[in-house]
Amino acid sequence: MKENFSVSLMCMDFLNIREQLEILNEQVGMYHVDIMDGHYCKNITLSPDMVKAFKKVSKVPLDVHLMTTNPELWINTVAEAGADIISLHAETINGQAFRLYNQIRELGLKTGLVLNPATPLSEAAHYLGRIDLLTIMTVDVGFAGQPFIEEMLDKIAEAKRLREENGYHYRIQIDGSCKPSTFKRLMDAGADVLILGSSGLFGLDQDLHEACRKMTESYRKALEGSEVSCGL
């Protein structure tokens, strides 16, 4: 079941990074690292130096999400810092998508694509076959704690259909408001990986061991009777 979860490290307690990562290493399948430049979205979060620090403790892959206006300026830097997957926004790579994905592959890393809520899958139709991880934003970029955008359930279902019809291999990951009240709808729509932040994990309990237990239990309950296997 841990492979169904990624954790947004921008939501963790930065006074206890090592302790929290050591707990999470046993609970989740991936870490999600948001790098924002303050321009593409009006916030600044993590950095390549933080990626380097996380890498020293992490036992799971690091998915680095570049919320940057010029992602081409960041790829080599985050690769050297320890990224395992580099996820680029469709809205920032028009005119250079194939070149950038070739660059990521040449660095020996996996490729990711991120779509904002208002960006249709058709925007990336020609390179969906080149990606390993498709992240669908279910909130607008930049800030944690936003309400879930219901219309994205149809986009998730469309992404799953396109994968099946074309033989694509990407996993479908959801970024935004992944929590007990949305778990079942997201997985039933076709999600493979849920990114957990404040509402889905850290806000469930001050004790991270207990927060993980509550998250896992709520996930099991949400998927009882669902057509989606929870990996048990």
Side-chain angles (χ1 to χ4, degrees), residues 8-63:
S8 176
L9 296 186
M10 68 178 278
C11 298
M12 70 189 310
D13 178 0
F14 286 103
L15 294 179
N16 297 288
I17 292 176
R18 178 179 290 275
E19 176 186 344
Q20 293 201 342
L21 289 178
E22 288 174 347
I23 293 170
L24 293 170
N25 280 336
E26 308 305 319
Q27 301 293 329
V28 302
M30 189 160 53
Y31 293 135
H32 188 79
V33 183
D34 289 309
I35 294 183
M36 306 180 191
D37 61 2
H39 185 266
Y40 178 67
C41 57
K42 303 303 180 183
N43 197 1
I44 295 176
T45 51
L46 306 178
S47 70
D49 283 340
M50 293 297 292
V51 174
K52 190 178 299 184
F54 297 148
K55 192 68 173 182
K56 294 177 182 178
V57 185
S58 173
K59 293 182 180 179
V60 300
L62 298 177
D63 168 28

Side-chain angles (χ1 to χ4, degrees), residues 12-225:
M12 70 189 310
D13 178 0
F14 286 103
L15 294 179
N16 297 288
I17 292 176
R18 178 179 290 275
E19 176 186 344
Q20 293 201 342
L21 289 178
E22 288 174 347
I23 293 170
L24 293 170
N25 280 336
E26 308 305 319
Q27 301 293 329
V28 302
M30 189 160 53
Y31 293 135
H32 188 79
V33 183
D34 289 309
I35 294 183
M36 306 180 191
D37 61 2
H39 185 266
Y40 178 67
C41 57
K42 303 303 180 183
N43 197 1
I44 295 176
T45 51
L46 306 178
S47 70
D49 283 340
M50 293 297 292
V51 174
K52 190 178 299 184
F54 297 148
K55 192 68 173 182
K56 294 177 182 178
V57 185
S58 173
K59 293 182 180 179
V60 300
L62 298 177
D63 168 28
V64 176
H65 176 186
L66 293 179
M67 295 192 223
T68 60
T69 300
N70 301 109
E72 67 277 8
L73 302 179
W74 296 79
I75 289 174
N76 285 331
T77 301
V78 298
E80 291 171 3
D84 297 290
I85 306 165
I86 298 181
S87 292
L88 311 176
H89 267 271
E91 303 84 14
T92 68
I93 60 175
N94 185 30
Q96 57 180 341
F98 293 95
R99 181 170 64 252
L100 296 185
Y101 282 129
N102 287 340
Q103 179 183 349
I104 293 170
R105 288 273 188 228
E106 289 167 3
L107 290 167
L109 307 181
K110 290 188 175 181
T111 55
L113 171 69
V114 187
L115 297 173
N116 279 334
T119 303
L121 280 158
S122 59
E123 182 86 4
H126 295 295
Y127 51 87
L128 285 175
R130 293 180 176 243
I131 62 171
D132 300 302
L133 185 66
L134 172 62
T135 300
I136 295 176
M137 300 292 300
T138 54
V139 299
D140 288 325
V141 298
F143 298 91
Q146 298 181 70
F148 180 71
I149 300 174
E150 297 281 344
E151 291 86 346
M152 294 305 99
L153 293 171
D154 288 339
K155 184 188 286 188
I156 297 166
E158 181 184 1
K160 182 180 180 181
R161 177 182 59 78
L162 287 171
R163 181 176 63 187
E164 293 172 350
E165 290 179 353
N166 294 282
Y168 296 148
H169 68 277
Y170 56 74
R171 299 187 79 202
I172 301 170
Q173 176 173 255
I174 309 305
D175 189 355
S177 201
C178 295
K179 54 188 177 181
S181 64
T182 61
F183 283 164
K184 186 178 188 301
R185 285 179 292 164
L186 291 169
M187 300 303 285
D188 281 349
D192 302 304
V193 183
L194 306 177
I195 298 176
L196 304 173
S198 299
S199 60
L201 179 63
F202 294 104
L204 299 180
D205 200 284
Q206 289 187 338
D207 182 317
L208 187 54
H209 283 290
E210 182 63 12
C212 288
R213 188 197 67 77
K214 290 180 177 179
M215 178 274 293
T216 301
E217 183 62 22
S218 66
Y219 182 78
R220 291 175 190 266
K221 288 182 177 179
L223 267 62
E224 285 180 358

